[in-house]
Amino acid sequence: QVQLQESGPGLVKPSETLSLTCTVSGGSISSYYWSWIRQPAGKGLEWIGRIYTSGSTNYNPSLKSRVTMSVDTSKNQFSLKLSSVTAADTAVYYCARVVAVAGNFDYWGQGTLVTVSS
Amino acid sequence: DIQMTQSPSSLSASVGDRVTITCRASQSISSYLNWYQQKPGKAPKLLIYAASSLQSGVPSRFSGSGSGTDFTLTISSLQPEDFATYYCQQSYSTWCTFGQGTKLEIK
């Protein structure tokens, strides 16, 4: 059974960079797309972007200028960096596996709350 | 981007009821439509993919239909554990987008 676990600081100061890592266990990270999705409290889901195990990326155009994703296949991990954060970036951040053809998310991490505050 | 609009935004129903949630895309997305269930404090759970395919392990009372721009999620007989928020998601575009959610509450 594939499991995903997000990790990283729960508190980030405004204008700084949010950094999260997702560790995949129970299966290989190879040959899949992996995504980050976020959800502000009481609101809906927003796709941030995805990365393939080759390192190829696609980002949400509304966040593209601030987002960087990377992958470390040796550690079965992929990561998210979001720069110049503001309070509007406060949300629960999820990592998820993308099913190649259908484009749905079949495995999700439990989510991690990141608060942007000084 | 492709806008996804769900209706209703909230719904009250009773155990045993048949419930239908609608999702409309701002342009044709063929059958690239997925449905998720989310309970408070939990990650979304995939229910239906490719508009009508039931994800493994999901009860058969859940079903999906539609293509193009109009889609529905139907729960044939509501169970207590089905009260949650439901989201549709289009995966036609690389920039995938979600509906705003439908909160299903107990009447």
Side-chain angles (χ1 to χ4, degrees):
Chain A
Q1 178 79 345
V2 174
Q3 294 184 319
L4 289 76
Q5 178 68 58
E6 304 90 350
S7 59
L11 181 64
V12 182
K13 290 183 168 55
S15 80
E16 295 190 345
T17 296
L18 177 160
S19 296
L20 295 174
T21 296
C22 183
T23 300
V24 179
S25 59
S28 174
I29 198 172
S30 297
S31 304
Y32 282 98
Y33 278 98
W34 302 87
S35 266
W36 290 96
I37 296 153
R38 69 181 183 180
Q39 185 174 37
K43 296 189 178 181
L45 299 159
E46 180 180 35
W47 179 75
I48 300 170
R50 70 179 189 181
I51 186 165
Y52 192 65
T53 48
S54 65
S56 172
T57 56
N58 302 100
Y59 300 142
N60 184 325
S62 68
L63 299 169
K64 187 175 183 178
S65 63
R66 299 194 291 130
V67 173
T68 303
M69 293 183 184
S70 59
V71 62
D72 187 338
T73 54
S74 67
K75 294 182 179 179
N76 249 29
Q77 293 178 334
F78 62 103
S79 299
L80 168 70
K81 291 188 185 298
L82 181 66
S83 64
S84 304
V85 297
T86 69
D89 296 309
T90 295
V92 174
Y93 285 75
Y94 295 101
C95 57
R97 190 177 80 169
V98 185
V99 176
V101 176
N104 58 65
F105 306 105
D106 61 347
Y107 290 100
W108 295 67
Q110 64 186 23
T112 188
L113 174 62
V114 179
T115 301
V116 178
S117 175
S118 55
Chain B
D1 61 329
I2 299 175
Q3 308 280 348
M4 305 301 294
T5 304
Q6 289 181 233
S7 61
S9 295
S10 64
L11 175 60
S12 294
S14 301
V15 173
D17 284 354
R18 180 183 180 89
V19 166
T20 297
I21 298 169
T22 297
C23 181
R24 174 165 288 176
S26 60
Q27 67 179 71
S28 177
I29 56 170
S30 185
S31 295
Y32 289 90
L33 191 284
N34 312 296
W35 290 98
Y36 300 85
Q37 175 194 68
Q38 187 179 35
K39 296 182 178 179
K42 299 293 187 183
K45 172 188 174 184
L46 178 65
L47 300 176
I48 301 286
Y49 64 94
S52 60
S53 295
L54 191 68
Q55 175 70 354
S56 176
V58 174
S60 59
R61 63 180 180 272
F62 291 92
S63 64
S65 65
S67 67
T69 60
D70 294 317
F71 302 86
T72 58
L73 171 71
T74 299
I75 309 172
S76 60
S77 177
L78 273 175
Q79 298 302 301
E81 60 268 30
D82 300 337
F83 292 95
T85 300
Y86 292 84
Y87 292 94
C88 62
Q89 173 233 344
Q90 65 81 14
S91 50
Y92 179 82
S93 167
T94 299
W95 178 8
C96 73
T97 48
F98 293 86
Q100 82 279 15
T102 295
K103 188 173 184 179
L104 180 53
E105 299 175 304
I106 301 173
K107 185 182 286 185

